[in-house]
Amino acid sequence: MEHQHEANKEDHEGHDMSNMQHGSNPSMGMAGHNHHAMMITDFKKRFYIVLILTIPIMLLSEMIQHFMGFNWQFVGSQYILFALSSIVFIYGGLPFFKGLVDEVKAKNIGMMFLIAFAITVAYIYSVAIVFGLQGMDFFWELATLILIMLLGHWIEMKSVAGASKELELLVQLMPADAHMVMPNMVHDVKTDTLKENDIILVKPGEKVAADGIILEGESYLNESMLTGESKPIQKLKGDKVIAGAINGNGSIKVTVSHAAKDSYLSQVIKLVDDAQKSKSQTQLLADTAAKWLTIIALVAGITTFFVWYLSGQTLAFAMERMVTVIVICCPHALGLAVPLVVAKSTALSAKNGLLIKNRTAFENARKITTIVFDKTGTLTVGKFEVSKIISLQTAFNENDIIRLASALEQQSEHPIATGILQKVKDLSITIPSTENFNAITGKGVEATVESKKILVVSPGYLKENNLTIPEGFTANDTETVVFLIVNNQLAGYIALSDEIRPESAEAIKTLKENNIKSILLTGDNSKVAKSVSDTLGMDSFIAEVLPHQKLEKIKDLQSKGEFVAMTGDGVNDAPALAIADIGIAVGSGSDIAAETAGIILVNSNPKDIVNLVLFGKATYRKMIQNLIWATGYNVVALPLAAGVLYKQGILLSPAAGAVLMTVSTVVVAINASMLKVKK
C-alpha cells in the first residue's frame, strides 16, 4: 500500500493540484482554501482590468479598423497601442510568468510555460513592428488571448473549488463553540479547547461539538452527513455520539471522549484531504499525457512556424500560427480531467459513509471478482438477540423466565447476557436483586433470587448432571440456548441468535447481478456458516477459520486468478485485509485507524460495499470519459491551428484557439460534477 505515498511527493503539473492543497491540518481552518479563494479573486480582478484595456487596443488595431472599414490612424497612435498592450502583457501575463518560473524550478514544464511562451513571442514580435519591422502587429490578438486565458483559469479554479467544497462542508459540520458544563454554570468555550472527560451540553437542534458518551438525557441524532444513515438514530444514556451530528428535540449532556483534533470528523476530513492528494494510476497516466502534450505543443508550434515561414508566408502569419498551436495545446482539460473527478468522488464517498484512504484501491474496485465477507458484524448484526422464550412449567410464564434469568445475567459482559438484558429492557420488566452469586466455570451462573435457588446454564451442564433435556427441544443451527433451573427443577429455556442484517440479502443479490462472487469466511461453526450462507444465497462459505488462516484462504483465491476484496473488522483481520487486492475495513468510526485497509466503511452495512464497487466503476468511467475528451479535442484542434485546412479557408485565430481551450476545460469540469453515488 506504500506505493502511493511516493507519488504524492512529486507535485502535480504546476497550478492544477496546488488548487487542491487545503493546508495540512483541516481543523486549522483551511488555510489552503483561503489562499485558493484569494487566487480566484486575483484572476477575476485581472480579467476585468484586462477587459477594459482590451477595448481601446481593439479599436486602435489596424487589422480591426481595416475589418470595420474605418481609419483612426493618427500620429503616435501605435505608441498608445504599444503602451496599453504592454500593461496588458505585464499585468495580465504576470500569473503565467510566475507559473513559468515555478515550472522551470520544478523541472516540470507544463501549461504555464506554454502560455507564457506564446504571449511573449506575440509581444516581442509586435513591439518589433512598432519600432520599424515590416508587417502587421499582433497586439489585439495578444490582449484577447491574455483575456481569455485569465477567464479560463478563473473558471477552472472555480470548478476545482466547487469540487473541494464538499470537504469544506465537512469542516463546517464542526461547531465552533460548545456549552461546557461547570459545577455551577454552563460556560461557552471554543470547541478546539475541549479535552477528554469535559462535560458539554447539546441543546435541541444544535450540532454535537465533540465525540463522547451521553451522560444524561436522550434524543434522536441525525448523523447522515457523517455516516450516510438517513434516519435519525435514537441515543440514550451511555450511547456514543459523533461530533458534527445534529441533535433532535432532546437536550443531552455528553462526556467528551477525546480532543477535537482526534474526533471522528477530523479523521474523516484528514482522510478525504489525503485521498484527494493521493495519486492513483489514472492520475499518473493523466500527468504523463499532460507532460507529453506540452512537449508536442512546443515542437509542433516551432515546426509550424518554420513550415509556413519557409514556404513563403509572412513572418506575421507564421508567428500567428505558432502562437495558436501552442495555445490550443495547453493541456488544461487534461490536467483537470482526473483531479476534478478525484475531488468530487472522495468527498461524495465520505458523505456516504465510504472513507477512501487509497485512491488506487478505490479505482480498482471495478476489477473485483470475489468479495470475501467476515460474518459477524458485517452480514449479521453482531449482537445476540432473544429469539424465543419457552416455559416448561405452568408455575412460570415467559416473563418470569426472562426476569429470573436477567437477575443472574445483570453482572455479566457476555454477548448472551447483553441479549437477555436487552429483551428485559424491551419488555420493561424490573430486574430482581440476587444473593450468593456464583459463576460455574464455562457452564453458567447460579444465585439466590427471591429466596429460590436459580441457575442459568448451557446444554452441556444438563448433560453432565443427568438432567433430561426436555421433549420437543430442538435448537436451530444458528441459535444458542440457555436453560433456567429453579430449585433443581428445569423451568424453561431462552434461545438467542445473531440476526442477519436486513440489508445483507439485497447486497449479495446486487453482487450476483454484477457477476461478483460472495464468499463467507468465519471463525464460527459450519452449521451457523452454512445457514447464513444459504439464507443469503452466497456462493460459498469457509468456516471455523482462525484469524491467521484467513490470510491463507485469501491467497488461495488469488492464486486461482480472482481479484479479491476482503471485508473485515480491521482488528483480527488485519493480515487478510493487507494481502487482499482491496482491503475494506468495516466498523464504527472509532476504528478509523484500520491502517491496513484501503477503504473504510463507516456503517458496517454490506450495501455500502456494493455501493463502493458500483461507485468505483462510475468514477473510473468519468475519468476515462474526461481523458478521452481532453485528448480528443487536442487531436482535432491542433492540425486546424497549424493551418492544415488553410487552403480550404479554415483557420483558427489565437483567440478562437483560446476559446476552444476554455470550452474543453469547462466540459471536463461539468462532466466531473455530474458524478453521483447510486443508492
Side-chain angles (χ1 to χ4, degrees), residues 372-375 519-523 542 545 550 553 566:
V372 175
F373 289 92
D374 176 49
K375 177 181 72 84
I519 295 178
L520 179 63
L521 186 61
T522 179
I542 306 168
V545 186
K550 290 187 175 178
K553 299 292 179 195
M566 161 84 190

Side-chain angles (χ1 to χ4, degrees), residues 27 48 67 74 112 153 164 167 170 197 211 240 250 292 295 344-345 348 374 382 413 438 499 512 671:
S27 55
Y48 284 119
F67 186 65
F74 49 87
M112 294 300 192
H153 263 75
S164 307
L167 188 65
L170 285 174
N197 296 331
D211 293 1
K240 275 190 195 159
W292 275 104
I295 296 165
K344 182 82 182 163
S345 65
L348 268 179
D374 176 49
E413 289 294 307
N438 174 34
E499 70 170 328
K512 271 219 161 77
N671 189 32

Side-chain angles (χ1 to χ4, degrees), residues 30-295:
M30 289 315 204
H33 269 285
N34 304 343
H35 166 67
H36 193 162
M38 276 160 52
M39 282 176 78
I40 293 179
T41 9
D42 181 58
F43 271 106
K44 184 173 165 181
K45 189 174 88 189
R46 287 179 199 269
F47 170 77
Y48 284 119
I49 291 174
V50 170
L51 179 65
I52 293 161
L53 292 172
T54 302
I55 298 164
I57 292 177
M58 301 277 284
L59 293 175
L60 287 172
S61 279
E62 221 179 305
M63 192 166 162
I64 302 282
Q65 293 180 12
H66 185 76
F67 186 65
M68 305 286 267
F70 55 77
N71 187 357
W72 279 3
Q73 299 297 326
F74 49 87
V75 177
S77 67
Q78 81 261 44
Y79 295 111
I80 297 175
L81 184 59
F82 162 64
L84 290 173
S85 303
S86 299
I87 298 172
V88 168
F89 175 64
I90 293 162
Y91 177 73
L94 188 68
F96 306 113
F97 297 124
K98 276 190 187 150
L100 172 131
V101 174
D102 292 345
E103 288 184 355
V104 170
K105 268 191 199 147
K107 300 197 178 62
N108 187 4
I109 60 161
M111 269 172 270
M112 294 300 192
F113 184 93
L114 286 183
I115 299 170
F117 180 77
I119 59 180
T120 309
V121 168
Y123 179 72
I124 292 171
Y125 174 72
S126 304
V127 173
I129 293 208
V130 172
F131 294 104
L133 184 74
Q134 283 303 302
M136 199 85 131
D137 69 64
F138 233 57
F139 285 129
W140 74 271
E141 276 109 326
L142 174 71
T144 47
L145 182 57
I146 290 176
L147 185 70
I148 290 164
M149 284 296 176
L150 288 168
L151 177 68
H153 263 75
W154 172 29
I155 294 177
E156 168 190 316
M157 292 180 80
K158 277 185 75 161
S159 59
V160 172
S164 307
K165 215 180 257 120
E166 269 102 344
L167 188 65
E168 269 183 80
L169 290 175
L170 285 174
V171 174
Q172 287 160 9
L173 277 178
M174 200 51 126
D177 301 309
H179 314 302
M180 182 144 156
V181 181
M182 305 288 199
N184 44 12
M185 60 179 271
V186 174
H187 179 62
D188 281 4
V189 298
K190 288 268 167 268
T191 305
D192 43 23
T193 61
L194 292 174
K195 39 187 203 309
E196 196 178 336
N197 296 331
D198 282 348
I199 294 170
I200 55 173
L201 172 69
V202 184
K203 298 175 183 168
E206 289 186 333
K207 286 180 184 156
V208 179
D211 293 1
I213 308 282
I214 296 184
L215 181 65
E216 60 180 71
E218 51 183 76
S219 183
Y220 279 85
L221 265 67
N222 179 346
E223 300 179 342
S224 61
M225 243 325 252
L226 302 159
T227 62
E229 172 58 66
S230 48
K231 296 192 294 289
I233 297 157
Q234 185 179 19
K235 299 277 184 177
L236 309 165
K237 182 177 168 171
D239 286 346
K240 275 190 195 159
V241 292
I242 311 179
I246 300 161
N247 187 14
N249 46 16
S251 183
I252 51 176
K253 282 186 183 168
V254 175
T255 310
V256 176
S257 45
H258 40 224
K261 65 174 192 315
D262 301 322
S263 75
Y264 169 67
L265 186 62
S266 304
Q267 302 249 34
V268 173
I269 293 167
K270 186 178 174 319
L271 275 173
V272 172
D273 201 37
D274 289 349
Q276 287 188 357
K277 288 178 193 156
S278 90
K279 302 275 182 91
S280 66
Q281 261 65 38
T282 326
Q283 172 70 56
L284 297 172
L285 173 74
D287 291 358
T288 318
K291 235 190 219 96
W292 275 104
L293 197 58
T294 307
I295 296 165

